[in-house]
C-alpha cells in the first residue's frame, strides 16, 4: 500500500475528494480510512454520495465522546489499521480529532505524514482545533498550504522550507465543481424556504457549550431575525444547548436538520449573508461573494477578512453588523491566491514528488 488517507468528520470530506481524484489520475495506489468520528448519515454518508468519494476501504466506527475518549479510540483503531496495511505514507486533512490521531499514530510507527491545510493558526489554544493543528504540523513532514500566511507560521515553528508546498485550497476545487450543478430553487422549494434569507450555522464548543454564551447567541439571533429571515440547519452538537438557552423556531428563525453539501452550498449561494462559526464556510462565502459574519474572537483564516467577505463579530454586535452587511453592496473580489479549483492536482503532484524523495532516502 502506498498511501492511506484518513478522514473522519464532515469538513474533511470536501478537502479529501479532489486530492484523491488527482492522485488516482497519477496512478498512485491509495486507500481511504473513515474513522467514524462523524457517523450520522446527514454528517457523513450524504457527503460521500454527493462528492463521488469512493466508499471508505475501512470504517473504524469510533463515534463520539470526550476528547480524550474519542482520541484514544482513534489512536487504537488507526494503529491497528496502519500496522495491518503498512502504508509508505499517510495523508491527513484539516484540524479535527481524526487528523491529530492519525498523525500521532503514523509518527510513532515512523510512517511519514502529509498534512493538507497545514499552517493555519488562530493562536487560540482554547480551540481544540488549534491544538490539533499545531501537533499535526509538528509531526508532519509534508505541509500542503492553502494560504500564504500559513508558510510564515510553519517557518516560525521551525518547519524546514523544503517540507512546505503552497498548493492552494482543495475545498474550493470541490466548491467550483459542484456550484454549476446546483439547483437552489429546488432546495428552497423542498425545504419551504423563501428567496430572501440569511443562513446560520453555529456549533463550536466556545459558542454552544457554555450556557451564558449560548444565551447571548440565542438573544442575538432573535434580534437578528427582526432584520431578516434566518435559516439555521443545526449541527447535532448545538441543538440541545441552544434549545436549553431558549432558541425558538419562530416565523423568521427557521430551525432545520443538518443539510447535505449540495443543499447547503445551494442555499449559501443565494443567501444575503451567512452567520457562522465554521472555518470552511468563511472560505466558501469568500469565493461566492456572500457577506460572512463569523461569531468568534479570532480566525485561523485571516485571508477571508483581508481579501474576502468575512468579518469577526461578538454576539451583541450581530444585529447591527447584519444590518450593515445587508445594506452594503457586495461585489465579488479577486479570489485569494491559488483558490482556483486546481489545488487537488497540485497537492497530488506535491505528494507524488515527496514519495519519490522518501523512496530515495536510506
Ligand atoms: C468536529 C470538529 C470541528 C468541525 C466539526 C464539523 C474536532 C475537535 N472538531 O466537531 O472542528 O468544525 O466536526 O462538524 O474534531 N454528533 C452526532 N452525530 C455525528 C457526529 C457528532 O450527533 O455524526 C454529536 C455528538 O453529540 C457528539 C457531538 O456531535 O458528541 C460532537 O461531535 P465531535 O465529532 O466530537 O465534534 P464536532 O462538534 O462535530
Amino acid at each position: 500500500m502506498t498511501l492511506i488517507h484518513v478522514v473522519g468528520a464532515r469538513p474533511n470530506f470536501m478537502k479529501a475528494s479532489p486530492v484523491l481524484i488527482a492522485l488516482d489520475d497519477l496512478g498512485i495506489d491509495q486507500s481511504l480510512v473513515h474513522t467514524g468520528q462523524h457517523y450520522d448519515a446527514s454528517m457523513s454518508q450524504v457527503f460521500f454520495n454527493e462528492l463521488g468519494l469512493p466508499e471508505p476501504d475501512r470504517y473504524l466506527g469510533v463515534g463520539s465522546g470526550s476528547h480524550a475518549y474519542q482520541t484514544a479510540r482513534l489512536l487504537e483503531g488507526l494503529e491497528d489499521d496502519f500496522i495491518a496495511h503498512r502504508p509508505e505514507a499517510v495523508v491527513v486533512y484539516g484540524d479535527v480529532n481524526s487528523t491529530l490521531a492519525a498523525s500521532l499514530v503514523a509518527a510513532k510507527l515512523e510512517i511519514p505524514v502529509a498534512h493538507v491545510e497545514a499552517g493555519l493558526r488562530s493562536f487560540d489554544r482554547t480551540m481544540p482545533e488549534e491544538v490539533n493543528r499545531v501537533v499535526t504540523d509538528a509531526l508532519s513532514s509534508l505541509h500542503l498550504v492553502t494560504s500564504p500566511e500559513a508558510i510564515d507560521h510553519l517557518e516560525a515553528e521551525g518547519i524546514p522550507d523544503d517540507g512546505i508546498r503552497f498548493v492552494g485550497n482543495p475545498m474550493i476545487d470541490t466548491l467550483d465543481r459542484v456550484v454549476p450543478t446546483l439547483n437552489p430553487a429546488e432546495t428552497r422549494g423542498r425545504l419551504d424556504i423563501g428567496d430572501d434569507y440569511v443562513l446560520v450555522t453555529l456549533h463550536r464548543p466556545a459558542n454552544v457549550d457554555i450556557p451564558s454564551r449560548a444565551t447571548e447567541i440565542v438573544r442575538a439571533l432573535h434580534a437578528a431575525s427582526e432584520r431578516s429571515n434566518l435559516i439555521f440547519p443545526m449541527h447535532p452538537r448545538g441543538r440541545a444547548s441552544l434549545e436549553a438557552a431558549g432558541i425558538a423556531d419562530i416565523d423568521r428563525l427557521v430551525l432545520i436538520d443538518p443539510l447535505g453539501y449540495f443543499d447547503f452550498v445551494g442555499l449559501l449561494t443565494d443567501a444575503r449573508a451567512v452567520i457562522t462559526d465554521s472555518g470552511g464556510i468563511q472560505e466558501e462565502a469568500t469565493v461566492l461573494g456572500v457577506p460572512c459574519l463569523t461569531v468568534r474572537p479570532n480566525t485561523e483564516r485571516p485571508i477571508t477578512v483581508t481579501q474576502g467577505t468575512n468579518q469577526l463579530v461578538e454576539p451583541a454586535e450581530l444585529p447591527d453588523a447584519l444590518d450593515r452587511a445587508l445594506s452594503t453592496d457586495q461585489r465579488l473580489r479577486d479570489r485569494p491566491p491559488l483558490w482556483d479549483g486546481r489545488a487537488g492536482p497540485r497537492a497530488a503532484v506535491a505528494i507524488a514528488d515527496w514519495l519519490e524523495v522518501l523512496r530515495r532516502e536510506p
Side-chain angles (χ1 to χ4, degrees):
M1 173 63 48
T2 305
L3 289 177
I4 291 182
H5 300 258
V6 178
V7 294
R10 186 169 60 172
N12 289 158
F13 308 134
M14 43 292 246
K15 295 168 193 167
S17 160
V19 180
L20 275 148
I21 292 169
L23 282 163
D24 206 41
D25 288 345
L26 296 181
I28 291 189
D29 168 42
Q30 50 186 345
S31 71
L32 180 63
V33 173
H34 185 329
T35 64
Q37 176 175 343
H38 284 174
Y39 43 86
D40 286 347
S42 64
M43 302 289 286
S44 177
Q45 188 59 45
V46 65
F47 295 92
F48 273 76
N49 300 343
E50 292 177 342
L51 298 175
L53 270 166
E55 280 300 311
D57 297 284
R58 287 153 333 258
Y59 182 81
L60 305 184
V62 160
S64 302
S66 70
H67 281 269
Y69 176 87
Q70 184 180 63
T71 307
R73 294 201 60 199
L74 285 161
L75 293 172
E76 287 177 355
L78 288 164
E79 186 180 59
D80 287 347
D81 190 85
F82 296 173
I83 288 173
H85 297 278
R86 273 282 155 195
E88 281 179 62
V90 166
V91 186
V92 300
Y93 296 86
D95 55 16
V96 302
N97 286 346
S98 301
T99 313
L100 164 83
S103 55
L104 185 53
V105 169
K108 294 287 179 84
L109 294 173
E110 298 182 33
I111 301 168
V113 179
H115 182 203
V116 175
E117 200 187 78
L120 297 186
R121 294 291 179 270
S122 65
F123 300 100
D124 176 358
R125 294 272 174 109
T126 67
M127 272 185 94
E129 293 81 4
E130 181 72 356
V131 176
N132 294 345
R133 290 180 201 116
V134 170
V135 175
T136 300
D137 283 333
L139 298 174
S140 299
S141 52
L142 178 63
H143 302 78
L144 299 169
V145 164
T146 56
S147 184
E149 76 282 357
I151 300 171
D152 302 334
H153 300 150
L154 292 168
E155 286 176 350
E157 290 171 19
I159 305 292
D161 277 356
D162 61 0
I164 304 173
R165 293 280 293 267
F166 178 30
V167 295
N169 192 335
M171 213 182 60
I172 304 304
D173 296 22
T174 302
L175 188 72
D176 281 347
R177 182 161 64 84
V178 160
V179 164
T181 71
L182 298 175
N183 184 352
E186 187 278 323
T187 302
R188 285 202 308 275
R190 181 164 24 90
L191 298 172
D192 198 16
I193 293 169
D195 58 6
D196 184 3
Y197 60 88
V198 167
L199 202 54
V200 180
T201 79
L202 294 163
H203 71 279
R204 294 234 167 259
N207 278 335
V208 301
D209 285 2
I210 305 161
S212 58
R213 177 78 172 186
T215 303
E216 240 189 298
I217 300 251
V218 168
R219 213 176 279 142
L221 289 178
H222 283 163
S225 74
E226 288 167 18
R227 325 283 169 99
S228 167
N229 295 311
L230 304 183
I231 309 292
F232 187 175
M234 291 180 99
H235 183 293
R237 163 187 275 289
R239 189 173 266 279
S241 54
L242 291 175
E243 281 174 354
I247 200 162
D249 188 301
I250 49 180
D251 234 13
R252 290 166 65 91
L253 173 53
V254 177
L255 308 179
I256 58 177
D257 288 332
L259 296 173
Y261 185 67
F262 288 0
D263 283 337
F264 184 82
V265 174
L267 290 185
L268 181 59
T269 313
D270 279 0
R272 296 186 67 202
V274 59
I275 298 169
T276 191
D277 58 9
S278 147
I281 292 165
Q282 300 171 51
E283 298 179 341
E284 291 163 342
T286 280
V287 167
L288 296 170
V290 176
C292 180
L293 302 175
T294 297
V295 189
R296 285 179 44 190
N298 50 53
T299 177
E300 62 290 333
R301 294 165 162 90
I303 205 161
T304 61
V305 177
T306 54
Q307 290 189 44
T309 58
N310 191 21
Q311 181 191 342
L312 303 179
V313 293
E314 279 298 316
E317 301 164 350
L318 192 57
D320 287 347
L322 183 60
D323 264 346
R324 280 196 301 278
L326 295 180
S327 59
T328 317
D329 217 13
Q330 286 283 337
R331 249 166 278 124
L332 273 178
R333 291 202 247 164
D334 286 344
R335 292 176 175 206
L338 302 192
W339 292 20
D340 59 358
R342 303 285 304 155
R346 281 191 293 267
V349 168
I351 291 169
D353 291 350
W354 172 67
L355 285 170
E356 286 302 313
V357 173
L358 293 176
R359 285 172 187 157
R360 282 201 299 270
E361 277 171 1

